[in-house]
Amino acid sequence: MIGNHYDILGVKRDAKQQQIKKAYHKLALRWHPDKNREQRAFALDQFHRINEAYHTLSKLELKILYDHQLSQYESIESIKNLIRLLKKNDSNDQNNDFDYSYDNFLSEEEQELLRQFKQRINEPGIQKKIRKSH
């Protein structure tokens, strides 16, 4: 179960609170560590992800903030994919003067978000969590 909170719970972004709650209960029962003694560490990790996703999506204020951040992240990822595609297509063109830096594509707010993301992802505690999740 890797992905955003909606993927974790297996619901669409426009899911109603009742659908989110139902998905949470189903997955919480499935991945409860006491029911998965053979895979306890994996089940515990899944159970924590499920709880975090439900905690965020079940509270309207947190859900609105999460949706906004997710949209911004997806916008940045789309831009990065576009840049990769442009670089790939122009890799044989030696006379290419196009500047592929993100600064040309992102607003100041998006640049700051990307800087904060890069800074946060490089924090020691976050790196440890990332390694554990993979």
Side-chain angles (χ1 to χ4, degrees), residues 3 5 17 27 31 54 60-61 64 69-71 76 83 85 91 95-96 100 109 112 114:
H5 291 337
Q17 286 300 314
L27 291 169
W31 290 107
Y54 179 69
L60 184 59
E61 299 83 12
I64 290 169
Q69 290 174 339
L70 186 60
S71 293
I76 291 170
I83 291 169
L85 180 62
S91 63
N95 298 321
N96 184 9
Y100 291 107
E109 182 181 340
E112 179 59 26
L114 186 58

Coordinates of all heavy atoms in Angstrom, one line a residue, residues 3 5 17 27 31 54 60-61 64 69-71 76 83 85 91 95-96 100 109 112 114:
G3 N 1.3 5.1 -1.7 CA 0.6 6.2 -2.4 C 0.0 7.2 -1.5 O 0.4 7.3 -0.3
H5 N -3.1 9.2 0.5 CA -4.1 8.7 1.5 C -5.3 8.1 0.8 O -5.9 7.1 1.3 CB -4.6 9.8 2.4 CG -3.5 10.3 3.4 ND1 -2.4 9.5 3.7 CD2 -3.3 11.5 4.0 CE1 -1.7 10.2 4.6 NE2 -2.2 11.4 4.8
Q17 N -17.7 11.0 3.3 CA -17.2 10.6 4.6 C -17.6 9.2 5.0 O -16.8 8.4 5.6 CB -17.6 11.6 5.7 CG -16.9 12.9 5.7 CD -15.4 12.8 5.9 OE1 -14.9 12.1 6.7 NE2 -14.6 13.4 5.0
L27 N -10.2 -2.0 6.1 CA -8.7 -2.1 6.0 C -8.1 -2.3 7.4 O -7.1 -3.0 7.6 CB -8.1 -1.0 5.3 CG -8.3 -0.9 3.8 CD1 -7.9 0.4 3.1 CD2 -7.7 -2.1 3.1
W31 N -5.7 -5.4 8.4 CA -4.3 -5.2 8.6 C -4.0 -5.0 10.1 O -2.9 -4.7 10.5 CB -3.7 -4.1 7.8 CG -3.7 -4.4 6.4 CD1 -4.5 -3.9 5.4 CD2 -2.8 -5.3 5.8 NE1 -4.1 -4.5 4.2 CE2 -3.1 -5.3 4.4 CE3 -1.7 -6.1 6.3 CZ2 -2.4 -6.1 3.5 CZ3 -1.0 -6.9 5.4 CH2 -1.4 -6.9 4.0
Y54 N -6.8 7.8 7.4 CA -8.2 8.1 7.9 C -8.2 9.3 8.8 O -9.1 10.2 8.7 CB -8.7 6.9 8.7 CG -10.1 7.1 9.3 CD1 -11.2 7.2 8.4 CD2 -10.3 7.3 10.6 CE1 -12.4 7.5 8.9 CE2 -11.5 7.5 11.1 CZ -12.6 7.6 10.3 OH -13.9 7.9 10.7
L60 N -12.5 17.5 8.1 CA -12.7 18.4 6.9 C -11.5 19.3 6.7 O -11.0 19.5 5.6 CB -14.0 19.1 7.0 CG -14.4 20.0 5.8 CD1 -14.5 19.1 4.6 CD2 -15.7 20.7 6.1
E61 N -11.1 20.0 7.8 CA -10.0 21.0 7.7 C -8.7 20.3 7.2 O -8.0 20.8 6.3 CB -9.7 21.7 9.0 CG -10.9 22.5 9.5 CD -11.9 21.6 10.3 OE1 -11.6 20.4 10.6 OE2 -13.0 22.1 10.6
I64 N -9.1 19.3 3.4 CA -8.9 20.4 2.5 C -7.5 20.8 2.3 O -7.0 21.0 1.2 CB -9.7 21.6 3.0 CG1 -11.2 21.3 2.9 CG2 -9.4 22.9 2.3 CD1 -12.1 22.3 3.6
Q69 N -2.3 20.4 -0.9 CA -0.9 20.0 -1.0 C -0.7 18.9 -2.0 O 0.2 18.9 -2.8 CB -0.4 19.5 0.4 CG -0.3 20.7 1.4 CD 0.1 20.2 2.8 OE1 -0.1 19.0 3.1 NE2 0.6 21.1 3.6
L70 N -1.7 18.0 -2.1 CA -1.6 16.9 -3.1 C -1.7 17.5 -4.5 O -0.9 17.1 -5.4 CB -2.7 15.9 -2.8 CG -2.7 14.6 -3.7 CD1 -1.4 13.8 -3.5 CD2 -3.8 13.7 -3.3
S71 N -2.5 18.4 -4.7 CA -2.7 19.1 -6.0 C -1.4 19.8 -6.4 O -0.9 19.7 -7.5 CB -3.8 20.0 -6.0 OG -5.1 19.4 -5.9
I76 N 3.7 19.8 -9.6 CA 5.1 19.9 -9.7 C 5.6 18.6 -10.4 O 6.5 18.6 -11.3 CB 5.8 20.0 -8.3 CG1 5.5 21.4 -7.8 CG2 7.3 19.7 -8.4 CD1 5.8 21.6 -6.3
I83 N 9.5 18.3 -18.3 CA 10.9 18.6 -18.5 C 11.7 17.4 -18.9 O 12.5 17.5 -19.8 CB 11.4 19.3 -17.2 CG1 10.8 20.6 -17.0 CG2 13.0 19.4 -17.3 CD1 11.1 21.3 -15.6
L85 N 10.6 14.8 -20.4 CA 10.2 14.5 -21.8 C 10.9 15.4 -22.8 O 11.4 15.0 -23.8 CB 8.7 14.6 -22.0 CG 8.1 14.3 -23.3 CD1 8.5 12.8 -23.7 CD2 6.6 14.5 -23.3
S91 N 17.6 15.6 -26.6 CA 18.9 15.2 -26.2 C 19.9 15.1 -27.4 O 21.1 15.2 -27.2 CB 18.9 13.8 -25.5 OG 18.4 12.8 -26.4
N95 N 22.4 22.1 -30.6 CA 22.2 23.5 -30.6 C 21.0 24.0 -29.8 O 20.4 25.0 -30.0 CB 22.0 24.0 -32.1 CG 23.2 23.7 -32.9 OD1 24.3 23.8 -32.4 ND2 23.0 23.3 -34.1
N96 N 20.7 23.2 -28.8 CA 19.5 23.5 -28.0 C 19.9 24.5 -26.9 O 20.7 24.3 -26.1 CB 19.0 22.2 -27.3 CG 17.8 22.4 -26.5 OD1 17.2 23.5 -26.6 ND2 17.4 21.4 -25.8
Y100 N 16.0 24.5 -19.1 CA 15.1 23.6 -18.5 C 14.9 23.7 -17.0 O 14.4 22.8 -16.3 CB 15.5 22.1 -18.8 CG 15.3 21.7 -20.2 CD1 16.4 21.6 -21.1 CD2 14.1 21.5 -20.8 CE1 16.3 21.2 -22.4 CE2 13.9 21.2 -22.1 CZ 15.0 21.0 -22.9 OH 14.9 20.7 -24.2
E109 N 5.6 30.7 -5.5 CA 5.0 29.9 -4.5 C 5.4 28.4 -4.7 O 5.7 27.7 -3.8 CB 3.5 30.1 -4.4 CG 2.8 29.3 -3.4 CD 1.3 29.5 -3.4 OE1 0.8 30.5 -4.0 OE2 0.6 28.6 -2.8
E112 N 9.0 27.8 -3.9 CA 9.2 27.8 -2.4 C 8.7 26.4 -1.9 O 9.4 25.8 -1.1 CB 8.5 28.9 -1.8 CG 8.6 28.9 -0.3 CD 10.1 29.0 0.3 OE1 10.9 29.6 -0.5 OE2 10.3 28.5 1.4
L114 N 8.6 23.6 -3.5 CA 9.6 22.6 -4.0 C 10.9 22.7 -3.1 O 11.4 21.7 -2.7 CB 10.0 22.8 -5.4 CG 10.9 21.8 -6.1 CD1 10.3 20.4 -6.0 CD2 11.1 22.1 -7.5

